[in-house]
Amino acid sequence: EVELLESGGGLAQPGGSLRLSCTASGFTFNIYTMSWVRQAPGKGLEWVSFVNPSGTTTYYIDSVKGRFSIYRDNSKNTVDLQMNSLRAEDTATYYCTRRTVDSGGMDVWGPGTTVTVSS
Amino acid sequence: DIVMTQSPDSLAVSLGERATINCKSSQSVLSRSNSKNYLAWYQHKPGRPPRLLIYWASTRVSGVPDRFNGSGSGTDFTLTISSLQAEDVAVYYCQRYYNTPWTFGQGTKVEIK
């Protein structure tokens, strides 16, 4: 079964750090672009970052550039999101997603992990 | 910034009736190189992750009921649910993925009248 499972969410203080991890199973991980999408409480969906299949190309939404970094390990079928200098506005449920193999939409989503940034 | 604007923000439709959601991009999502519209539609129910329904503006994902249809090109797109079922109650989002940022619309909440 094709599956993504996030971990690493929790409570962090403003200015602190968290590292989210996503473990993939049931598909050939190293041919897919992977991304993170978040949803703040009561808000809509917001794409955060993606990494290409080889891990050589990454993109970020402006609001996290310089603070977040996305990494993938194709030997372990994982994609991580390192989040530094956290702000209250980073509070959200974070979803790990897979892009379709033909570079379409995001066809597989994990259940999500919750990040709360608060003192 | 590229903006995706959905209309309406919410709608209530009777069971078996048609629901229509519009999505307008501030920039075209049509690629001249492959003539594809880089536009997707998602369904999001509370407590569950979003579900991809449609991509390339009109390609239905395997397993998605054929009452869900996507249309449009360039900057204007529509998601139509031809005969609303109770299980279709959700928030629906359009999303552009032509280039970054992959922007979502603000969402349209669909309810039963």
Side-chain angles (χ1 to χ4, degrees):
Chain A
E1 181 184 359
V2 172
E3 196 170 54
L4 299 172
L5 186 61
E6 304 94 342
S7 60
L11 177 65
Q13 291 196 338
S17 298
L18 278 177
R19 189 176 182 102
L20 306 183
S21 187
C22 171
T23 301
S25 59
F27 63 96
T28 305
F29 182 72
N30 62 11
I31 66 171
Y32 287 91
T33 291
M34 302 297 294
S35 74
W36 289 89
V37 173
R38 67 185 179 184
Q39 184 177 36
K43 302 295 186 182
L45 300 173
E46 180 177 56
W47 167 79
V48 175
S49 176
F50 83 67
V51 58
N52 71 340
S54 63
T56 56
T57 300
T58 59
Y59 288 97
Y60 303 90
I61 194 171
D62 283 351
S63 60
V64 309
K65 281 180 183 175
R67 301 189 300 121
F68 289 12
S69 296
I70 189 169
Y71 304 95
R72 68 186 296 159
D73 185 336
N74 287 341
S75 68
K76 297 180 179 178
N77 288 1
T78 59
V79 54
D80 291 359
L81 187 68
Q82 176 65 43
M83 304 186 296
N84 299 329
S85 302
L86 283 163
R87 305 168 181 168
E89 54 265 35
D90 297 319
T91 295
T93 296
Y94 285 73
Y95 297 100
C96 175
T97 76
R98 183 188 85 171
R99 191 182 195 184
T100 64
V101 69
D102 62 347
S103 297
M106 293 174 280
D107 65 343
V108 180
W109 294 63
T113 188
T114 301
V115 171
T116 302
V117 183
S118 174
S119 55
Chain B
D1 286 355
I2 300 171
V3 178
M4 305 295 288
T5 304
Q6 292 181 226
S7 61
D9 289 334
S10 64
L11 74 161
V13 176
S14 300
L15 288 173
E17 296 299 307
R18 179 186 301 261
T20 301
I21 302 168
N22 299 301
C23 174
K24 186 175 185 65
S25 175
S26 60
Q27 288 186 15
S28 175
V29 301
L30 175 62
S31 170
R32 295 178 182 175
S33 62
N34 61 11
S35 299
K36 289 185 173 182
N37 285 284
Y38 285 61
L39 191 284
W41 288 96
Y42 299 84
Q43 176 191 65
H44 194 192
K45 297 181 179 180
R48 301 178 66 174
R51 174 194 183 194
L52 178 65
L53 299 175
I54 304 280
Y55 61 107
W56 300 130
S58 60
T59 299
R60 196 181 304 114
V61 172
S62 176
V64 171
D66 61 7
R67 63 180 180 273
F68 291 93
N69 289 283
S71 62
S73 183
T75 60
D76 293 279
F77 299 89
T78 300
L79 175 68
T80 302
I81 309 172
S82 59
S83 176
L84 192 74
Q85 305 300 304
E87 61 266 30
D88 300 335
V89 170
V91 178
Y92 292 84
Y93 294 91
C94 62
Q95 180 231 348
R96 64 177 298 281
Y97 51 91
Y98 183 54
N99 51 16
T100 56
W102 292 352
T103 310
F104 288 89
Q106 80 276 17
T108 296
K109 187 174 185 179
V110 174
E111 299 172 307
I112 305 295
K113 183 186 292 183

